[in-house]
Amino acid sequence: MKKEPRYSTIELMACAASRILEDQKSVFVGTGLPIVAAALAQRTHAPNLLIVFESGGVGPRVPTLPISVGDSRTFHRAVMASSMDYVMSTAQLGYVDYGFLGAAQIDMFGNLNTTVIGSHEQPTVRLPGSGGANDCGSLCWRTIIIMQQSRQRFVQKLDFLTTPGYLSGVGARGRAGLPFGTGPHRAVTQLGVMGFDEETKRMKLVSVHPHVTVGQVKENTGFELIIPENVTTTEPPTKKELDTLRKEIDPAGIVLGSK
């Protein structure tokens, strides 16, 4: 029997998220794991993936992991070194297929909080804020979220709405003036991959990661998650994916923590 390569939870999340991205599509990428996953997709199954950074880099091929979306490496071999207003306008014009974000909290409709924990006036924790996340979640065709899953993060009600998902459900984005057909697509966590039901726009389970049960996913969700009859298991990382992550993208272990 072939021995499965060892991998960390973070590496599994990066691999699962990268597989969602398709070749010849465009993706607006946030800091951290979204960069790792997008760079992995570009080096494996999606060589023509167009990566877009908030700071203005369009179509770069990052040599190693940038520490932020403003790092000079986000312009490495780019097809264009533009500006923040330019890349935001490309999303507004409908040119960006995927928005790729992290978050501190998410609700059943894919709305995100990256602003505060607690009240806005007297928060327990003040988070980095929106940056380009609101534009990304509002204007890109499909949003992918990557984050840790717990009842404190997957919540019935956000402490603050930073980035819109499906807002209150079916038709709410349109009523708010957001482009028709846009919205959350997938949420990738340490436990599995979630999607969103076409009819209700509520979050549903797509796959559980290896050695994770549906019960564990439900226990770490603070709202009622739609559970389909047949839940698949996420494919584990391949040796090629792990080598690419560890040797090319994040050899210092900045995000992956492998060193």
Side-chain angles (χ1 to χ4, degrees):
M1 181 180 292
K2 188 176 180 180
K3 189 175 181 181
E4 185 179 294
R6 288 190 174 187
Y7 54 85
S8 69
T9 302
I10 297 294
E11 289 170 333
L12 174 58
M13 290 171 66
C15 292
S18 78
R19 295 168 189 161
I20 299 168
L21 298 169
E22 306 154 88
D23 199 24
Q24 298 186 345
K25 297 288 186 180
S26 53
V27 57
F28 200 131
V29 178
T31 298
L33 264 178
I35 302 179
V36 173
L40 177 62
Q42 199 180 56
R43 283 168 161 83
T44 52
H45 65 278
N48 300 300
L49 177 69
L50 186 78
I51 296 175
V52 179
F53 285 106
E54 181 183 340
S55 55
V58 179
R61 307 193 74 86
V62 296
T64 55
L65 181 67
I67 60 173
S68 75
V69 293
D71 190 312
S72 61
R73 283 169 288 192
T74 62
F75 294 92
H76 181 73
R77 294 178 59 194
V79 297
M80 181 183 294
S82 64
S83 60
M84 185 180 294
D85 64 326
Y86 178 86
V87 295
M88 295 300 183
S89 69
T90 61
Q92 186 178 29
L93 290 166
Y95 293 150
V96 184
D97 297 300
Y98 291 101
F100 202 163
L101 302 170
Q105 288 182 330
I106 188 170
D107 68 13
M108 69 172 72
F109 295 115
N111 301 302
L112 305 179
N113 172 22
T114 56
T115 302
V116 293
I117 301 298
S119 71
H120 188 264
E121 293 73 23
Q122 292 184 311
T124 306
V125 179
R126 186 167 293 281
L127 302 167
S130 172
N134 183 285
D135 304 75
C136 192
S138 297
L139 303 171
C140 297
W141 287 104
R142 289 177 284 185
T143 309
I144 302 167
I145 305 101
I146 190 163
M147 61 185 290
Q148 292 291 313
Q149 185 167 358
S150 68
R151 297 184 80 87
Q152 291 73 40
R153 291 174 176 268
F154 276 56
V155 296
Q156 187 71 35
K157 181 176 175 55
L158 301 177
D159 289 351
F160 187 90
L161 174 58
T162 308
T163 301
Y166 289 112
L167 295 173
S168 59
V170 180
R173 285 179 68 91
R175 291 191 295 273
L178 299 177
F180 177 78
T182 60
H185 176 56
R186 290 287 186 269
V188 180
T189 77
Q190 83 280 14
L191 299 176
V193 179
M194 308 333 126
F196 294 86
D197 182 69
E198 284 296 324
E199 293 185 3
T200 65
K201 302 304 182 185
R202 282 177 48 207
M203 190 183 294
K204 68 176 182 180
L205 183 60
V206 173
S207 72
V208 292
H209 294 331
H211 315 299
V212 174
T213 67
V214 172
Q216 287 175 306
V217 176
K218 292 170 69 175
E219 288 169 9
N220 284 276
T221 305
F223 51 82
E224 186 179 352
L225 185 67
I226 297 174
I227 309 293
E229 287 187 15
N230 299 311
V231 178
T232 61
T233 300
T234 309
E235 287 293 323
T238 64
K239 185 178 185 302
K240 180 180 179 181
E241 287 173 325
L242 292 173
D243 285 346
T244 304
L245 286 172
R246 296 168 181 173
K247 297 176 183 179
E248 297 181 27
I249 298 171
D250 190 15
I254 296 169
V255 169
L256 300 177
S258 55
K259 293 186 180 180

